């Protein structure tokens, strides 16, 4: 079918011929101009003078000598006036950052009021009193009056709540704000877009100088649909003075049927306003043309883009379809998945692809660096420090240009120091890009200038290295242009603003930047948003994101003007969006042969999982040929396969295990308990050597709390161990506990026991927890006084021999015993625990059962310490004690002795257990070195907290 713009071009050439250059052609967006020019060239087939092309905003802006005020100029002007009005009312002024969200709504409302020629005085008048409504609105129809009554009923009955009173006060100040805002802007030589529309609509004929530019031709409006009141009035005046022609892209299918919402605005334009459509006699393409519709129901957001290769396959290979296929992204978040799906080459030939949608700066590494800079500046302003995570992000960012050697050096140093926050001065000392990036903002004006320095440094480095990509170059240019524009606007307005607020404004402004991707707008597959399709036609249309709530949208946006008042004054309401969306879809379809709707059937926070109501409507009434496809993602389950690591025949594993037998490596109690609980964990940790990467975190891990407690107890008893420990001596030294805790905290967290620092937040919580734990231990010790301490944090080693394949082998074990005491002639091993360890155990056999539920790691470790100590010190009857601080005071589960079936592990029972324990330990060692596989425990609880779970398939 012939495209709409081709028909327009043919009609204009036949009407104006060589006088076409005297015409102005006005569209509602920029995209159609290139298409219309091509059609002119195809028809005229020789050099010609082109008509002028405008968007509607550009065209109206030509009517005035005033400049158009950008959003930030409008915001600062509005804020200043708003505070002046608050002062007049003897109310407290509002800060910029609190006013900003209000300002966006107010300015949007003002713009709509002007564009729709609404009397702001009337609209914002206080309507609380129903009698005032009756007096001022006696001309309203009963339906309009009902809208007003519904809204104001809640304000007219009973006492006003505080929020309602505040709202009414703001409502009352709106007329003054509106008038003063426009007056101040005008004094400075600026107008808003809306006020340009209003001034032009007041009397278009009074702008003779503007209109006379087109006396020899016509002003031609192409493809308009929904018109604001100002546009409608201007169009009518231009038609009355015979200055304009109108080409509406309409189809009688929805134009002549009053129940069709797609034709709502066209019926208003043609029937109510009396605008003449130059194409009024065209046949209905919706009724006569062949339309094949494919509906694709898919599961998942990105899955919508992933079926493009099926839909577009013939477009990759068939040259006849070049320039006649469009992929419309109703949901613009699908741009990246779409670009990742459509290939650059197919069967060895390049695919022509043109993306008219802008590539957002916010998705680029440039914005990542800018956003990181803004975040770091906020941290520097707050405390002259930068968090480790942000320093790490800076070091690893691809645009910083740091060498791998330098990155590793700095990161290693910070990891060793465990610095959660890094001093600002330390970062500046690194010089180079560090000095530029971490330069502190001195005043609000420096936000933009300092950021420009950062971008200039990066851009210069990339240019010199010749590694600057085309898309990045365009993003840099656009970003620097926007920052320069902000600098000009901000200069006279932000002197007294808070720096964090200026940072927020810069961040918001840069988030809106986008640059067009390369491509030919006339050839190849076109990718665009729904609004960009206006006036354009394609033989094949693919719409992604065809979900309810997206087409049409489910919200008209924020406004202080309620729905009922909007209806009274003819301002846009939610139904307008339905009509606009329907029209854009219908006009795309009326000339298309192959139509494809794709929607996401999954329900989540962003989509309802329902197809657009427009699709339902078409299915019911259009008579098109519909074919339905459903993408079912089958979920296949496989039987779990046990993961085993084979030892036999694996030279690396055998060599590593042999090192333990040759005493080149020593086994720790924690290594043995890890093997007992889950043998495959032992392999990953001690054979393969796969370790968790060290990280810096403000959160203190559970094992670090244990380490701090151990240090405190070592410090506490270090000076007391020279003599017998008594209750009095413990109590005397208790007042030193807080400073000992701080010393231990610094030693464990920062490797610097004497570090002077200010504790805050979670650090204070950890200090308090350790303090409570220390007091629990000391109170327990008081009950055991008097006793003597033999050693603190003593390293012990011992050999354990066992039979392996008929030969005697042995391994060396080592460990650090927290404390060795002597009480009433009995030597005791004391082990501190801050976790959820248990004193109870079932029996010795179950201690070593990897597939059992009764492994007691704490008992295994303390018995190993007991064995090692007895071997190294030549003592017997050494008793293991366990101080579990969380349960030590519990009357039922408390105490310090292990228990089995109510038998306490001490005295004769302990001596019976020791040889059984050693025998089972030797059997387990023989299994470790002799079994053919490292297996996974059958009990998931045995590896519940394993860091290797993903490696063995659980």
């Amino acid at each position: 079918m012939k495209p709409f713009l081709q028909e327009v071009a043919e009609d204009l050439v036949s009407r104006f011929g060589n006088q076409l250059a005297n015409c102005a052609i006005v569209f509602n967006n920029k995209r159609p101009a290139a298409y219309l020019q091509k059609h002119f060239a195809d028809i005229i087939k020789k050099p010609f003078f082109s008509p002028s092309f405008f968007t509607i905003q550009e065209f109206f802006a030509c009517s005035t000598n005033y400049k158009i005020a950008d959003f930030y100029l409008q915001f600062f002007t509005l804020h200043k006036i708003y505070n002046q009005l608050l002062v007049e009312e003897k109310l407290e002024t509002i800060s910029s950052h609190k006013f900003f969200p209000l300002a966006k709504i107010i300015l949007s409302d003002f713009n709509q009021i002007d564009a729709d020629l609404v009397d702001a005085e009337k609209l914002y008048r206080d309507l609380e009193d129903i009698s005032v409504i009756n007096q001022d609105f006696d001309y309203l129809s009963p339906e309009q009056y009902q809208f007003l009554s519904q809204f104001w009923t809640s304000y007219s009955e009973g006492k006003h709540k505080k929020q309602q009173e505040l709202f009414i006060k703001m409502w009352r100040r709106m007329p003054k704000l509106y008038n003063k805002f426009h007056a101040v802007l005008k004094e400075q030589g600026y107008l808003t877009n809306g006020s340009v529309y209003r001034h032009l609509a007041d009397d278009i004929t009074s702008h003779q100088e503007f209109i006379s530019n087109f006396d020899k031709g016509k002003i031609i409006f192409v493809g308009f649909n929904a018109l604001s009141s100002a546009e409608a009035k201007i169009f009518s005046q231009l038609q009355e003075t015979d200055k304009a022609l109108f080409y509406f892209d309409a189809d009688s299918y929805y134009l002549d049927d009053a129940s069709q919402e797609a034709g709502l605005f066209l019926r208003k334009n043609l029937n109510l306003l009396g605008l003449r459509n130059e194409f009024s006699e065209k046949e209905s393409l919706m009724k006569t043309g062949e339309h094949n519709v494919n509906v694709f129901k898919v599961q998942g957001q990105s899955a919508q883009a992933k079926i493009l290769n099926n839909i577009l396959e013939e477009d990759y290979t068939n040259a006849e379809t070049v320039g006649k296929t469009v992929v419309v992204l109703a949901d613009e978040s699908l741009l990246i998945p779409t670009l990742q799906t459509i290939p650059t080459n197919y069967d060895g030939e390049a695919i022509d692809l043109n993306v008219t949608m802008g590539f957002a700066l916010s998705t680029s590494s440039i914005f990542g660096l800018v956003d990181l800079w803004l975040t770091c500046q906020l941290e520097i302003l707050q405390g002259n420090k930068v968090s480790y995570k942000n320093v790490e992000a800076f070091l690893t960012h691809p645009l910083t240009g740091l060498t791998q050697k330098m990155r590793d050096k700095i990161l290693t140093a910070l990891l060793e120091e465990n610095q959660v926050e890094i001093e600002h001065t330390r970062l500046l000392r690194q010089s180079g890009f560090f000095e530029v990036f971490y330069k502190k903002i001195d005043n609000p004006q420096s936000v933009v200038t300092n950021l420009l320095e950062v971008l200039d440094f990066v851009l210069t480095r990339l240019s010199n290295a010749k590694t600057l990509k085309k898309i990045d170059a365009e993003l840099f240019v656009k970003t620097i242009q926007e920052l320069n524009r902000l600098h000009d606007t901000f200069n006279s307005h932000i002197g007294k603003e808070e720096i964090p607020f200026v940072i927020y404004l810069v961040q918001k402004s840069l988030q809106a930047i986008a640059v067009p991707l390369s491509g030919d707008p006339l050839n190849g597959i076109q990718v665009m948003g729904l609004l960009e399709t206006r006036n354009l036609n394609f033989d094949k249309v693919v719409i992604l994101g065809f979900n309810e709530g997206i087409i049409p949208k489910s919200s008209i946006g924020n406004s202080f003007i309620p729905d009922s008042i909007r209806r009274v004054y003819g301002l846009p309401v939610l139904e307008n969006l339905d009509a606009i969306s329907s029209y854009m879809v219908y006009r795309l379809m009326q000339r298309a042969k192959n139509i494809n709707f794709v929607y996401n059937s999954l329900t989540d926070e962003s989509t309802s999982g329902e197809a657009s109501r427009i699709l339902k409507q078409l299915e019911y009434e259009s008579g098109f040929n519909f074919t339905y496809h459903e993408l079912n993602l089958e979920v296949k389950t496989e039987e779990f396969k046990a993961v085993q690591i084979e030892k036999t025949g694996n030279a690396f594993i055998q060599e590593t295990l042999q090192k333990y037998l040759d005493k080149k490596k020593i086994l720790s109690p924690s290594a043995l308990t890890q093997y007992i609980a889950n043998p495959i964990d032992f392999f990953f940790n001690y054979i393969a050597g796969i370790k968790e990467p060290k990280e810096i975190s403000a959160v203190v891990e559970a094992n670090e709390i244990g380490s701090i407690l151990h240090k405190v107890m070592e410090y506490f008893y270090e000076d007391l161990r020279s003599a017998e420990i008594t209750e009095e001596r413990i109590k005397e030294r208790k007042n030193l506990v807080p400073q000992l805790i701080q010393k231990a905290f610094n030693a464990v967290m920062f490797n610097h026991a004497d570090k002077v620092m200010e504790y805050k937040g979670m650090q204070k919580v950890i200090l308090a927890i350790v303090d409570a734990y220390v007091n629990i231990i000391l109170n327990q010790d008081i009950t055991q006084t008097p006793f003597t301490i033999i050693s603190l944090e003593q390293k012990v080693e011992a050999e354990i021999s066992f039979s392996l394949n008929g030969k005697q082998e042995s391994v060396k074990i080592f460990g650090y015993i927290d404390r060795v005491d002597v009480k009433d002639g009995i030597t005791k091993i004391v082990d501190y625990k801050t976790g959820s360890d248990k004193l109870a155990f079932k029996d010795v056999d179950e201690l070593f059962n990897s597939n059992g539920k009764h492994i007691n790691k704490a008992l295994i470790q303390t018995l190993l310490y007991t064995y090692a100590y007895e071997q190294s010190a030549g003592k017997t009857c050494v008793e293991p004690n366990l101080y579990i601080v969380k349960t030590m005071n519990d009357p039922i589960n408390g105490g310090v002795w292990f228990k089995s079936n109510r038998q306490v592990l001490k005295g004769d029972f302990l001596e019976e257990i020791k040889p059984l324990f050693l025998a089972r330990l030797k059997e387990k060692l023989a299994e470790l070195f002799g079994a053919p596989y490292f297996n996974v425990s059958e009990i998931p609880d045995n590896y519940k907290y394993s860091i290797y779970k993903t490696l063995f398939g659980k």
Side-chain angles (χ1 to χ4, degrees), residues 891-902:
I892 299 173
N893 301 312
V896 298
W897 290 281
F898 291 97
K899 300 164 190 162
S900 175
N901 297 321
R902 297 187 180 180

Side-chain angles (χ1 to χ4, degrees), residues 27 166 176 186 226 296 448 479 526 534 693 712 717 926 929:
F27 295 108
L166 290 171
K176 273 188 183 179
K186 204 167 184 181
F296 295 88
V448 173
T479 304
Q526 304 292 311
R534 289 175 293 183
V712 176
Y717 282 120
F929 292 96

Side-chain angles (χ1 to χ4, degrees), residues 77-86 177 180-181 184:
T77 305
L78 188 74
H79 180 232
K80 184 178 179 182
I81 296 166
Y82 195 84
N83 274 340
Q84 287 172 358
L85 295 177
L86 289 175
L177 182 65
K180 202 164 184 181
F181 168 71
V184 170

